[in-house]
Each structure stands twice: as structure tokens, then as C-alpha cells.
């Protein structure tokens, strides 16, 4: 799907939305490509997409059938923006919530933890070694993490920020306080991860 859209964008053809993937509008979209070689490549991409869609449905059925065997799956599905597929992925990746004693350990494992850096923490004042009074520098989110889990919670936060509900209200409150949108989404992703951990642990 990404390759299909990337090909249209490379030829300056706007392709927002999902209409570009549907078989009903396919001839119309292919007609926008003037170059015969590129159009042929687009046809191959569409054939590949159709085959993968059938396989995706079959894998999705098996994934849901397997995940329903776990007691926690139904509880995790009730969390807004998580849903059945994300719940199944959480069960597969995390396996047990008892690996994490605190929410911050989960944040770090998910790549939602803050990395800090400091140097020259001490200085000599009147012959005495004293700790320097300066702010710790923030270096962004931790890189050493489970990237699948990071994408899962980031995706959940994007959905939660746009769908009406308690998470959307929480996100709007953060923006109203003057927080940048990307920081507000990070905070929302952390909140969702924390709720997942609490619900799963306490059953």
C-alpha cells in the first residue's frame, strides 16, 4: 500500500484516502499515469496487493482465534483505541504484564521513555568538589526498545486523539494547556500503555 502511494506521489499525483487501493476505481487511477512503464509497474503492485489482502484476512482470522484463548484479551479489547488486533499483538509481544514492576519500565521497553544526558556534574569551588546546579539535558526518546510495541502505542494514541471519548478529551486538555501536539500524543501514548498495564495486571 505504501509503495502504491509512493509511486503516485513520485509523479506528483495526489492520492490521499483509501480510494486509490479499491478495485472499483483502479482503472481511473491507472489512467492518471501517462508513462507506460510506470503504469505497468503500478499494475504489478495492485496484483501483489490483491494477493496480500486475501492472505491478510486469513492471518487475521487465525490471530484472533488464537488470542481469544487468553483471558486478558477480552479485557484489553475494552480499552478505547486498542481493539481486538492490537490486543492480540500485545499478548504476543508482552506475554505477561508481570515483567514490569512499574509503568516507567514499560515506557522504556516501548520506546516512550525519555533519555537524558549530563556532563561536568561537579566543579571545584574554593577547593571543595560541589555538584553543579544545572538542568539535565533531554536527548529525546530512548532508542533501545521494542519498535513493534512503540508503533502499536503510537498508533493507538493517534486513533484515540481523533475519536470522541475520554482520551480525545484528555488530548484536547493537553493542547489547551499549550503543549505541542507531538508531546501531547506522546503523553497520551504513555497513558494508554499505563492503563493496559494496570488492567492486565489487576484483571
Amino acid at each position: 500500500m505504501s509503495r502504491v502511494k509512493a509511486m503516485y506521489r513520485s509523479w506528483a499525483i495526489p492520492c490521499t484516502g483509501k480510494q486509490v487501493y479499491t478495485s472499483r476505481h483502479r482503472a481511473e487511477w491507472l489512467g492518471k499515469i501517462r508513462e507506460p512503464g510506470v503504469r505497468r509497474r503500478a499494475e504489478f503492485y495492485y496484483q501483489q496487493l490483491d494477493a496480500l489482502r486475501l492472505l491478510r484476512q486469513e492471518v487475521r482470522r487465525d490471530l484472533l482465534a488464537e488470542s481469544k484463548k487468553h483471558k486478558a484479551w477480552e479485557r484489553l479489547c475494552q480499552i478505547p483505541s486498542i481493539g481486538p488486533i492490537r490486543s492480540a499483538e500485545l499478548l504476543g509481544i508482552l506475554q505477561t504484564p508481570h515483567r514490569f514492576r512499574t509503568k516507567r519500565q514499560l515506557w522504556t521497553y516501548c520506546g516512550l521513555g525519555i533519555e537524558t544526558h549530563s556532563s561536568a556534574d561537579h566543579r571545584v569551588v574554593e577547593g571543595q568538589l560541589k555538584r553543579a546546579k544545572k538542568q539535565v539535558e533531554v536527548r529525546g526518546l530512548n532508542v533501545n526498545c521494542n519498535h513493534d510495541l512503540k508503533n502499536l502505542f503510537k498508533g493507538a494514541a493517534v486513533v484515540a486523539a481523533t475519536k470522541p471519548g475520554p482520551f480525545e478529551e484528555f488530548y484536547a486538555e493537553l493542547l489547551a494547556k499549550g503543549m505541542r501536539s507531538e508531546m501531547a500524543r506522546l503523553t497520551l501514548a504513555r497513558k494508554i500503555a499505563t492503563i493496559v498495564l494496570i488492567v492486565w495486571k489487576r484483571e
Side-chain angles (χ1 to χ4, degrees), residues 112-176:
L112 304 175
I114 299 292
E115 271 193 354
T116 57
H117 172 77
S118 67
S119 62
D121 294 329
H122 297 82
R123 59 179 61 180
V124 178
V125 180
E126 298 177 357
Q128 297 289 325
L129 191 65
K130 293 190 177 180
R131 189 169 182 82
K133 293 181 179 178
K134 64 172 191 173
Q135 288 186 336
V136 176
E137 295 178 11
V138 176
R139 303 299 287 267
L141 300 179
N142 63 298
V143 181
N144 186 17
C145 64
N146 187 307
H147 295 283
D148 292 330
L149 208 55
K150 184 176 185 177
N151 291 334
L152 188 150
F153 282 120
K154 282 174 68 179
V158 169
V159 171
T162 54
K163 281 192 174 181
F167 287 148
E168 194 254 351
E169 292 170 10
F170 175 74
Y171 178 72
E173 286 174 11
L174 294 176
L175 294 178

Side-chain angles (χ1 to χ4, degrees), residues 12-13 17 77 149 194:
I13 300 171
C77 286
L149 208 55
T194 304

Side-chain angles (χ1 to χ4, degrees), residues 58-92:
E58 189 177 341
V59 170
R60 184 188 174 97
R61 281 196 299 270
D62 289 350
L63 177 67
L64 290 175
E66 189 63 32
S67 60
K68 285 176 183 177
K69 296 176 183 177
H70 299 268
K71 290 189 298 182
W73 179 81
E74 196 170 341
R75 292 190 204 97
L76 294 175
C77 286
Q78 295 170 3
I79 301 171
S81 79
I82 292 297
I85 296 296
R86 286 196 179 101
S87 298
E89 289 178 357
L90 282 168
L91 289 168

Side-chain angles (χ1 to χ4, degrees), residues 71-72 75-76 97-98 195-203:
K71 290 189 298 182
R75 292 190 204 97
L76 294 175
H98 300 289
I195 290 170
V196 164
L197 184 65
I198 292 171
V199 168
W200 196 354
K201 258 190 175 181
R202 298 183 183 175
E203 300 185 354

